């Protein structure tokens, strides 16, 4: 075990997730989740050695208060003096950052400039950065960007077919997200299969409450489904994914909804939740579909069908398909979703191995296609925190 540990922080507008990792072994020594930040009933939950402890944050119910509580918990476990650097998940680096970087005042300015591209996320990420710099004084801080891995996407793939002046003036283009996960999974897939990453044509589906898909060839991202924001692309837990942009004018005229209301609906009330009228949780959807609930059955089918269509389109971007990779909470655990997707993709030479597909769950990696399949489908668990820890350690000279 290393004496030098990495603290990884992932800040949302009202939440903060943290993990203390041994960069050498990948072991998580302590994790935390602060919720309801900036509200009177804010709290943080710590998990260590299989035990949970909840701490009230009423006196300081903001991100700084959460990081202060984390520092106290680290002291209680004798870990505070072993933290060597802090890594931060930052959602958007726009076109400014194509790789992780040590945080300086200039980098903070750069993250601020990208706020229009991620107005809900980047301000929260900055709160976490400033809190960590204040409380973990003197330690290096590193920014790891969700968008960085996608900066290799060619111009013809990231360009929207709208007047070019909007790109020149406002940066309107496809950026993509989940990049840290894709980078980890691309490397891990190559290692698991015993192949050279640079010779593998991969389509990777990161499936969770937020879901996206990416094409990776020559070790680089060639295209991805999320766009300017995380709303574009696949059906997700509460997000619609692709819709006709005229939905905005249609609902304005027929339902008297404003742009803000439609945007909120597409982000928070659509996807699996909107179709099923039950839940955004895929586990609940699957359970109710099994009982015959029509909305749940339709939600699953739309989710799988849209994903299968995107797999085929991403195979174009990758220049072919050697491996279809499932990752993320749904991708790693829902053998039903994977089965449905493979059922649509038989024409690509993918044939499901039902037993292998059933076995590849709960953290178990595995090939889930038959030996005679023309391409592989494989389940690879992601680990974004470890990827952030690796980058942080490397850039901090540890």
């Amino acid at each position: 075990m290393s004496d030098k540990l990495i603290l990884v922080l992932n800040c949302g507008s009202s939440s903060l997730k943290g993990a203390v990792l041994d960069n050498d072994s990948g072991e998580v020594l302590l994790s935390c989740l602060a919720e309801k930040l900036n509200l009177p009933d804010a709290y943080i939950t710590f998990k260590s050695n299989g035990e949970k402890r909840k701490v009230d944050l009423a006196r300081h119910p903001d991100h700084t208060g959460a990081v202060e509580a984390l520092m106290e918990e680290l002291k209680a476990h004798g870990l505070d003096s072993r933290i060597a650097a802090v890594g931060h998940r930052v959602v958007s680096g726009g076109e400014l950052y194509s790789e992780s970087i040590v945080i300086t005042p200039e980098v903070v300015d750069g993250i601020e400039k990208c706020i229009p591209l991620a107005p809900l996320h980047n301000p929260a990420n900055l709160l976490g950065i400033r809190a960590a710099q204040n409380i973990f004084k003197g330690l290096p801080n590193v920014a790891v960007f969700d968008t960085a891995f996608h900066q290799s996407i060619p111009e013809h793939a990231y360009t929207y077919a709208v007047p070019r002046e909007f790109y020149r003036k406002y940066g309107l283009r496809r950026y993509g997200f989940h990049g840290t996960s894709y980078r980890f999974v691309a490397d891990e897939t190559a290692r698991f299969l015993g192949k050279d990453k640079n010779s593998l044509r991969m389509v990777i589906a990161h499936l969770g409450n937020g879901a996206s898909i990416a094409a990776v060839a020559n070790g680089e991202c060639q295209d991805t489904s999320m766009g300017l924001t995380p709303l574009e692309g696949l059906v997700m837990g509460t997000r619609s994914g692709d819709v006709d942009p005229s939905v905005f004018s249609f609902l304005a005229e027929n339902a008297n909804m404003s742009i803000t209301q439609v945007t909120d609906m597409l982000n928070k009330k659509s996807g699996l939740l909107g179709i099923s009228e039950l839940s955004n949780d895929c586990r609940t959807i699957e359970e109710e579909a099994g009982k015959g609930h029509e909305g749940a059955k339709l939600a699953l089918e739309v989710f799988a069908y849209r994903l299968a269509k995107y797999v085929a389109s991403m195979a174009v971007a990758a220049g072919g398909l050697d491996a279809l990779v499932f990752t993320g909470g749904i991708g790693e655990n829902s053998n039903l979703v994977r089965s449905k997707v493979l059922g649509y993709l038989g024409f690509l030479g993918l044939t499901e191995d039902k037993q292998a597909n059933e076995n590849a769950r709960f953290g178990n990696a595995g090939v889930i296609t038959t030996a005679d399949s023309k391409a592989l489908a494989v389940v690879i668990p992601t680990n974004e925190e470890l990827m952030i820890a690796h980058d942080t350690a490397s850039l901090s000279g540890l």
Side-chain angles (χ1 to χ4, degrees):
M1 181 181 289
S2 171
D3 284 334
K4 295 183 177 180
L5 305 176
I6 306 297
L7 170 62
V8 174
L9 293 179
N10 179 359
C11 292
S13 57
S14 61
S15 66
L16 179 149
K17 286 171 35 175
V20 177
L21 291 93
D22 182 322
N23 185 57
D24 294 337
S25 68
E27 180 186 1
V28 177
L29 282 74
L30 182 145
S31 62
C32 68
L33 175 60
E35 299 178 88
K36 297 187 176 183
L37 295 180
N38 302 310
L39 294 174
D41 54 347
Y43 64 92
I44 186 168
T45 304
F46 296 102
K47 185 177 180 181
S48 180
N49 298 319
E51 296 183 359
K52 289 185 178 181
R53 192 171 82 87
K54 183 176 176 180
V55 176
D56 181 68
L57 294 176
R59 288 184 61 196
H60 300 286
D62 55 12
H63 289 79
T64 300
V67 177
E68 287 174 346
L70 172 57
M71 174 60 108
E72 291 305 310
E73 190 71 11
L74 291 172
K75 288 179 180 177
H77 289 271
L79 297 174
D80 57 306
S81 61
R82 294 173 59 195
I83 304 295
V86 186
H88 299 265
R89 178 203 179 204
V90 179
V91 168
S92 182
E95 293 184 322
L96 292 176
Y97 303 105
S98 57
E99 55 189 17
S100 303
I101 191 169
V102 174
I103 296 172
T104 64
E106 291 74 24
V107 172
V108 169
D109 290 344
I111 295 170
E112 287 179 336
K113 287 177 183 175
C114 294
I115 285 175
L117 301 175
L120 297 178
H121 296 93
N122 273 30
N125 300 154
L126 285 165
L127 287 172
I129 288 168
R130 290 180 174 121
Q133 289 176 328
N134 182 48
I135 293 161
F136 293 90
K137 291 187 184 299
L139 292 186
N141 284 254
V142 170
V144 181
F145 299 93
D146 270 13
T147 50
F149 184 65
H150 302 303
Q151 282 299 295
S152 56
I153 292 175
E155 189 176 29
H156 67 262
Y158 72 65
T159 298
Y160 286 126
V162 298
R164 286 293 278 166
E165 66 175 306
F166 293 116
Y167 168 66
R168 290 191 295 269
K169 289 182 178 179
Y170 310 112
L172 178 60
R173 52 158 283 187
R174 178 183 309 284
Y175 289 99
F177 299 89
H178 294 138
T180 306
S181 175
Y182 286 125
R183 187 154 56 97
F184 179 87
V185 171
D187 288 345
E188 192 64 14
T189 300
R191 187 198 65 79
F192 180 79
L193 296 176
K195 305 280 188 179
D196 178 3
K197 179 180 70 173
N198 295 319
S199 65
L200 268 180
R201 299 169 299 178
M202 292 179 274
V203 173
I204 306 173
H206 178 108
L207 309 176
N209 193 49
S212 67
I213 190 167
V216 179
N218 305 314
E220 294 185 331
C221 186
Q222 305 298 324
D223 202 353
T224 190
S225 59
M226 284 181 169
L228 175 73
T229 75
L231 181 58
E232 188 180 357
L234 303 178
V235 173
M236 308 177 217
T238 63
R239 296 181 198 139
S240 63
D242 294 344
V243 294
D244 182 342
S246 292
V247 160
F248 282 87
S249 58
F250 178 86
L251 290 177
E253 292 167 9
N254 292 280
N256 198 30
M257 294 174 72
S258 67
I259 289 176
T260 300
Q261 287 173 322
V262 176
T263 302
D264 186 70
M265 178 270 292
L266 293 175
N267 274 288
K268 299 178 181 178
K269 300 173 184 176
S270 300
L272 293 176
L273 173 64
I275 299 170
S276 70
E277 300 181 306
L278 274 176
S279 173
N280 65 306
D281 192 310
C282 190
R283 293 165 295 189
T284 301
I285 300 290
E286 287 188 20
E287 186 178 332
E288 294 304 315
K291 296 175 184 176
H293 189 284
E294 292 302 323
K297 290 196 293 185
L298 179 60
L300 275 181
E301 211 58 49
V302 172
F303 183 92
Y305 174 68
R306 178 82 65 85
L307 175 55
K309 284 207 302 180
Y310 257 102
V311 171
S313 68
M314 287 296 164
V316 173
L321 181 64
D322 298 314
L324 167 59
V325 188
F326 293 94
T327 194
I330 296 173
E332 293 169 28
N333 295 303
S334 178
N335 55 303
L336 176 60
V337 166
R338 297 191 303 249
S339 179
K340 284 180 175 293
V341 172
L342 292 177
Y344 280 115
L345 295 173
F347 73 98
L348 289 177
L350 290 158
T351 305
E352 177 192 5
D353 181 328
K354 290 193 177 294
Q355 188 58 57
N357 187 25
E358 198 168 310
N359 293 341
R361 299 175 69 197
F362 310 122
N364 294 318
V367 175
I368 61 172
T369 41
T370 57
D372 61 349
S373 290
K374 293 179 181 177
L376 297 172
V378 59
V379 178
I380 300 290
T382 191
N383 193 332
E384 293 169 274
E385 288 82 7
L386 185 58
M387 189 84 260
I388 293 171
H390 286 341
D391 281 7
T392 302
S394 175
L395 289 167
S396 301
L398 303 175

